[in-house]
Amino acid sequence: MRAASTASLVAAAWLAAGAVGAAEGGDASVFARCAGCHEVGPAAKDRIGPHLNGLFGRRAGAHAGFAYSESMQRAGNDGLIWTAATLDAYIENPRALVSKTRMSFRGLASAQDRADLLAYLRRFSDDPSDLPEAEPTARGVDHDIDPSILALRGDPEYGEYLSAECVTCHRVDGGDTGIPSITRWPTEDFVVAMQAYKRALRPHPVMQMLAGRLSDEEIAALAAYFHEIK
Amino acid sequence: MKLNRRTFIGASAAAAASLHAPTVLAEGHGKPRVVVIGGGAGGATAARYLAKDSQGQLDVTLVEPSRTYVSCFFSNLYLGGFKDIEDISHTYGTLAAKYGINVVHDWAVDVDRESKVVTLAGGARLPYDKLILSPGIDFVEDAVDGWSIASQNAMPHAYKGGSQTELLKAQVMAMPEGGTFAMVAPPNPYRCPPGPYERVSMVAHVLKTTNPTAKIIVADPKEKFSKQALFEEGWGKHYSGMIDWIGADFGGGVVSVDPSAMTLTIDGEETKVDVCNVIPAMKAGRIAELAGVTDGNWAPVNAADMSTKADDDVYVLGDASRQGDMPKSGFSANAQAKVCANAVRGALTGSKVFPAKFSNTCWSLIAKDDGVKVGATYEATEEKIAKVDGFISATGEDRALRKTTYEESEGWYAGMTTDMFG
Ligand SMILES: Cc1cc2nc3c(=O)[nH]c(=O)nc-3n(C[C@H](O)[C@H](O)[C@H](O)COP(=O)(O)OP(=O)(O)OC[C@H]3O[C@@H](n4cnc5c(N)ncnc54)[C@H](O)[C@@H]3O)c2cc1C
């Protein structure tokens, strides 16, 4: 199940295909999944999560007055903008985009549900007609991602060699001042995060550049090594 | 088609292995011996990786005259008052105690490549199977008219870590009100391309509060410099009217100094200055030349493993090497050291050798919480270390991003120095 959901992480096929949510204005019913924490609409207030008005085109973690997690603030500072593609990835698996997000929500696996939900949320952004259907990054990408990426078993010895490039910045001892720690993560979360950089869904020029030249096998090897570090 | 990981590794390991058939060791000694000269960004990293990864199979000796390594990286932040000297000082205790490296505090004064022996100033002789040189830089003699190493107290370079950096700071703090700080910037190639301009920023940052009517003049033999648009934007924003950069087009390369009179003459025009930071043209640390592995000012190396063109058993890392496209930075030296350590260990113990991979990121601080960065990835080609892909901070970035970028550099410093010294 996890593997299948990652395949669509890229920016779900519906975006490239130009599909829109079920109803023209989207489907409010899926929003029930979010309503425990979020409000949207004219009288919306911040609850456990920030209100979701004016979301499209806005920088992540930028709604004044809401106390976001450090991870979300960092993503916003780095330039994560909420678009159809990034929202789709976030809602599908929040940690793929923002590792230590405080949004404790497992994600919506169904691409159709996400499409409906996003079409609905778009109604509450300033000028939905200006919003692009999909980001350039969401087009032309290979949607046939091998669903076995997550199933790859990494070779820790190769991972150790590759990790030498990472530990100049990410301390092996797990210290995280200024740069997040990446040791002892569940391997799936690690792979999902690296794939998000590789596909430029996560912002950050260094990480996009480094992840961009790692093969899926190499990412698996790194995930295995950093997971096992003592 | 997807490359199968196993065949991929296998193939490249085999390719690399054929370049490096295990060295046949001279009879009569035990473990293969690696001598590393220079305990800086390249040397300390190489020694640590060799010792850590070989788990006792190699005899690793690190030769370094200083007991304390005061890093050049972040030394500008010390000038700017953001770091103390202790924050940028490191010792070799962990490398000796935890990794079993034989740390010898002495100068290497000779390398006999015929008999494979290094001689130290104290007279000791160190035989090696593989020799790694990472001696950093020395200055080209007579590069700046009127300046020599004998004048480094009157006009410090502060381009090697330690006392020079402290001296420069003391001079900046002692400047008379409304005085002049001058810098003579170096020609390419030199260590840390954005270094002089980060330094100008940090000196301006200090003067802005302690001595706001002071002036800064930079005489530069280059027409343009690293991260120029970013620095110029920052100087305009934070230090408006304080910094006068005179590039080659305006005679910035035609300079002479008089250390006893404290004057700087740029294109015939003499100025009295209060502090003069002369950063002369650079070349490989002298021991590389003594070892006979240099060609001109630098030591040409093979990109795949950092071995010298002159000798398969002698490697040169970091600033002293001529490798291709990587800038001379601590980050680069560290990346090269790991590639080299992997290859040397493979050659001496038969361990797997993985394909070379390099990257670099250099951060600069322009003002408090105003950090920028530039970086790239590289690959080894037959000819050189060749750039693959890169990025640079943009002008006009918002404050939150600049602050995050600065914080990242602090994270890197912690990671980098842990990677060097354990
Ligand atoms: C102001 C300034 C700012 C900088 N900022 C950055 C930065 O932000 N990021 C970055 O990545 N880089 C930065 N650098 C560059 C960085 O300091 C160098 O590129 C890096 O130190 C090069 O590593 P190295 O191993 O070649 O030489 P070094 O680190 O200089 O090490 C050489 C060592 O060799 C020793 N040695 C020399 N000769 C002998 C001998 N004969 N016998 C024994 N030992 C010997 C020396 O004592 C020294 O400890 C900066 C440099 C300067 C000057």
Side-chain angles (χ1 to χ4, degrees):
Chain A
M1 169 239 145
R2 204 47 193 282
S5 69
T6 304
S8 46
L9 173 155
V10 190
W14 66 272
L15 285 171
V20 193
E24 268 300 299
D27 183 352
S29 71
V30 191
F31 189 70
R33 303 283 300 273
C34 325
C37 301
H38 291 288
E39 292 184 3
V40 70
K45 288 198 201 53
D46 293 343
R47 294 292 176 200
I48 294 171
H51 75 66
L52 297 178
N53 292 340
L55 193 59
F56 283 73
R58 191 171 79 195
R59 189 178 267 254
H63 166 53
F66 185 82
Y68 292 95
S69 65
E70 227 176 87
S71 237
M72 183 68 82
Q73 287 177 45
R74 168 183 272 284
N77 291 347
D78 280 348
L80 177 63
I81 306 290
W82 292 128
T83 63
T86 54
L87 280 168
D88 187 61
Y90 183 62
I91 294 166
E92 196 216 341
N93 178 358
R95 282 185 302 175
L97 225 58
V98 187
S99 301
K100 301 238 166 67
T101 179
R102 266 212 334 273
M103 169 154 134
S104 35
F105 176 71
R106 292 196 58 189
L108 274 183
S110 153
Q112 189 57 52
D113 282 357
R114 295 197 304 276
D116 290 344
L117 177 59
L118 291 188
Y120 171 71
L121 286 174
R122 269 169 83 143
R123 294 205 306 216
F124 305 99
S125 279
D126 291 347
D127 191 358
S129 60
D130 282 355
L131 297 167
E133 274 307 312
E135 290 298 288
T137 48
R139 289 186 192 280
V141 269
D142 175 17
H143 290 292
D144 296 327
I145 303 168
D146 190 339
S148 64
I149 287 177
L150 282 180
L152 282 174
R153 296 249 322 275
D155 170 355
E157 188 187 351
Y158 189 35
E160 179 169 15
Y161 170 73
L162 293 170
S163 78
E165 183 173 36
C166 320
V167 299
T168 310
C169 291
H170 296 283
R171 286 157 61 184
V172 232
D173 63 13
D176 64 355
T177 35
I179 294 183
S181 165
I182 58 169
T183 55
R184 288 180 289 269
W185 280 28
T187 51
E188 286 193 2
D189 287 3
F190 192 101
V191 171
V192 156
M194 292 301 283
Q195 295 288 348
Y197 284 119
K198 197 169 165 167
R199 284 161 180 123
L201 281 172
R202 281 192 183 217
H204 200 274
V206 177
M207 286 308 306
Q208 287 181 358
M209 182 178 78
L210 294 179
R213 67 169 183 168
L214 292 169
S215 67
D216 296 336
E217 287 78 5
E218 289 173 326
I219 289 175
L222 282 161
Y225 172 72
F226 278 110
H227 177 67
E228 283 170 20
I229 248 175
K230 272 156 281 261
Chain B
M1 192 210 93
K2 269 212 173 70
L3 271 175
N4 171 284
R5 178 174 46 80
R6 293 235 162 256
T7 53
F8 168 66
I9 295 170
S12 41
S18 64
L19 289 171
H20 300 279
T23 306
V24 181
L25 300 175
E27 240 175 88
H29 70 76
K31 295 183 211 171
R33 290 171 300 204
V34 185
V35 174
V36 182
I37 297 180
T45 308
R48 178 168 165 270
Y49 272 75
L50 282 165
K52 168 171 86 67
D53 295 341
S54 71
Q55 303 183 334
Q57 286 187 69
L58 294 175
D59 184 339
V60 182
T61 300
L62 177 63
V63 183
E64 163 62 50
S66 306
R67 285 176 191 276
T68 305
Y69 180 79
V70 184
S71 67
C72 281
F73 29 103
F74 271 28
S75 66
N76 288 328
L77 273 57
Y78 160 77
L79 288 176
F82 295 99
K83 299 287 163 199
D84 293 329
I85 205 79
E86 297 79 49
D87 298 333
I88 59 170
S89 300
H90 308 271
T91 54
Y92 296 89
T94 309
L95 289 182
K98 182 167 167 200
Y99 297 94
I101 295 166
N102 178 22
V103 180
V104 179
H105 290 299
D106 201 350
W107 288 94
V109 291
D110 186 50
V111 174
D112 180 345
R113 293 199 277 117
E114 274 304 293
S115 44
K116 296 184 141 189
V117 173
V118 174
T119 306
L120 306 186
R125 290 164 53 80
L126 302 173
Y128 65 82
D129 296 299
K130 295 279 189 186
L131 174 65
I132 299 175
L133 303 175
S134 193
I137 52 118
D138 270 313
F139 299 110
V140 173
E141 277 115 66
D142 302 323
V144 175
D145 191 10
W147 192 91
S148 75
I149 204 76
S151 8
Q152 67 171 353
N153 281 357
M155 294 189 169
H157 52 79
Y159 235 64
K160 295 189 187 189
S163 55
Q164 276 279 304
T165 313
E166 292 183 272
L167 176 64
L168 185 64
K169 173 139 186 185
Q171 293 183 352
V172 170
M173 300 315 284
M175 268 170 69
E177 200 181 319
T180 301
F181 174 97
M183 171 187 281
V184 177
N188 290 322
Y190 61 96
R191 73 168 19 164
C192 196
Y197 313 98
E198 180 184 56
R199 175 172 294 170
V200 164
S201 309
M202 290 295 95
V203 170
H205 170 78
V206 169
L207 292 176
K208 195 177 162 183
T209 42
T210 61
N211 193 345
T213 54
K215 291 269 175 268
I216 297 177
I217 310 173
V218 185
D220 205 322
K222 303 183 292 297
E223 274 161 28
K224 52 187 174 49
F225 58 85
S226 169
K227 300 181 188 163
Q228 184 161 358
L230 295 166
F231 281 114
E232 287 180 345
E233 176 192 55
W235 293 348
K237 189 164 141 202
H238 304 290
Y239 316 117
S240 179
M242 196 179 221
I243 301 166
D244 188 8
W245 178 76
I246 303 165
D249 302 351
F250 296 89
V254 189
V255 295
S256 64
V257 295
D258 183 341
S260 48
M262 284 305 285
T263 55
L264 165 66
T265 305
I266 305 173
D267 206 13
E269 197 177 315
E270 188 181 276
T271 314
K272 181 96 183 71
V273 297
D274 298 289
V275 178
C276 195
N277 175 205
V278 176
I279 311 176
M282 293 166 209
K283 60 178 183 179
R286 191 161 152 67
I287 191 71
E289 200 178 320
L290 291 174
V293 294
T294 52
D295 173 16
N297 286 340
W298 311 100
V301 295
N302 298 304
D305 60 359
M306 305 301 291
S307 61
T308 53
K309 302 275 186 192
D311 187 332
D312 284 351
D313 292 323
V314 180
Y315 300 71
V316 175
L317 307 177
D319 292 355
S321 67
R322 177 156 67 225
Q323 33 69 23
D325 298 347
M326 293 186 88
K328 296 185 187 299
S329 73
F331 201 119
S332 298
N334 169 270
Q336 293 159 10
K338 293 181 239 189
V339 165
C340 173
N342 186 254
V344 165
R345 184 165 62 93
L348 295 177
T349 69
S351 63
K352 263 193 227 169
V353 176
F354 296 107
K357 227 174 181 187
F358 309 91
S359 60
N360 175 62
T361 300
C362 279
W363 290 265
S364 299
L365 186 62
I366 299 176
K368 185 175 191 309
D369 291 335
D370 192 356
V372 293
K373 64 188 168 201
V374 59
T377 54
Y378 304 85
E379 65 187 7
T381 66
E382 274 299 308
E383 185 204 343
K384 62 173 184 177
I385 299 183
K387 182 172 168 179
V388 177
D389 191 13
F391 70 87
I392 182 165
S393 295
T395 52
E397 286 172 348
D398 63 32
R399 289 169 60 182
L401 175 54
R402 290 295 176 87
K403 184 165 189 280
T404 303
T405 303
Y406 170 61
E407 287 164 0
E408 256 170 53
S409 73
E410 293 193 292
W412 163 76
Y413 188 89
M416 167 81 184
T417 49
T418 309
D419 206 34
M420 289 168 63
F421 298 106

